[in-house]
Amino acid sequence: MILYENGFIRLEYDASTDLLYVDGPDVQGYALMGVYEASNIILGAIGKYNIKRLLIDSSETIVDVSQEDYKVVMNQFTRELMKTSLQKVVRVATSDAARESGVEKYVKQVNQRAKPSLAFQNFTSRAAAIAWLRAE
């Protein structure tokens, strides 16, 4: 079922698998407030439906902001995600090796600093990501 859609972000929830699918929004300087709003919409849906599994498909997203701005957005979103009922989060990666290297470094920093209670994985394939999320 579609929980939310506005042309910028789409949230689709499969209650039978307790899985929320999100197509990651583009992150561009002029749209940073929209990214924050999208993050709040995702967090609201997770809370309202007590969702345990989240798939964020970033494979087609555009990131056109400074590393600093992007890190601020990601830090805020990550901190709030760790306060939810989520148990597993998966991200479908882009084909941009430099961006994915940055994501990998960020994930390592978060794991060292925060010791999150939720499991996180990055995949290059949506099918593999879904399989991992559905596995117990």
Side-chain angles (χ1 to χ4, degrees), residues 13 17 26 28 35-36 40 43-44 46-47 55 57 64 87 95 107 111 117 134-135:
Y13 180 56
T17 59
D26 292 337
Q28 297 170 315
V35 173
Y36 281 111
N40 288 333
L43 293 162
I46 292 167
L55 181 145
D57 190 339
D64 188 21
Q87 296 172 351
S95 58
V107 169
N111 286 334
S117 59
R134 290 183 176 172

Side-chain angles (χ1 to χ4, degrees), residues 26-43:
D26 292 337
V27 182
Q28 297 170 315
Y30 66 87
L32 274 180
M33 289 310 296
V35 173
Y36 281 111
E37 181 182 330
S39 298
N40 288 333
I41 291 166
I42 294 166
L43 293 162

Side-chain angles (χ1 to χ4, degrees), residues 62-75:
I62 298 167
V63 174
D64 188 21
V65 294
S66 71
Q67 270 305 74
E68 278 186 20
D69 286 345
Y70 189 61
K71 194 170 183 177
V72 168
V73 170
M74 292 309 303
N75 280 338

Side-chain angles (χ1 to χ4, degrees), residues 34-101:
V35 173
Y36 281 111
E37 181 182 330
S39 298
N40 288 333
I41 291 166
I42 294 166
L43 293 162
I46 292 167
K48 181 176 182 178
Y49 294 93
N50 198 32
I51 294 169
K52 304 288 188 253
R53 298 177 180 102
L54 172 64
L55 181 145
I56 301 172
D57 190 339
S58 298
S59 61
E60 301 295 322
T61 61
I62 298 167
V63 174
D64 188 21
V65 294
S66 71
Q67 270 305 74
E68 278 186 20
D69 286 345
Y70 189 61
K71 194 170 183 177
V72 168
V73 170
M74 292 309 303
N75 280 338
Q76 174 73 23
F77 185 57
T78 302
R79 271 194 307 274
E80 295 304 317
L81 276 182
M82 288 192 275
K83 296 176 186 176
T84 69
S85 59
L86 283 175
Q87 296 172 351
K88 293 175 114 178
V89 178
V90 70
R91 179 179 170 273
V92 180
T94 68
S95 58
D96 181 342
R99 184 165 148 203
E100 293 310 313
S101 176

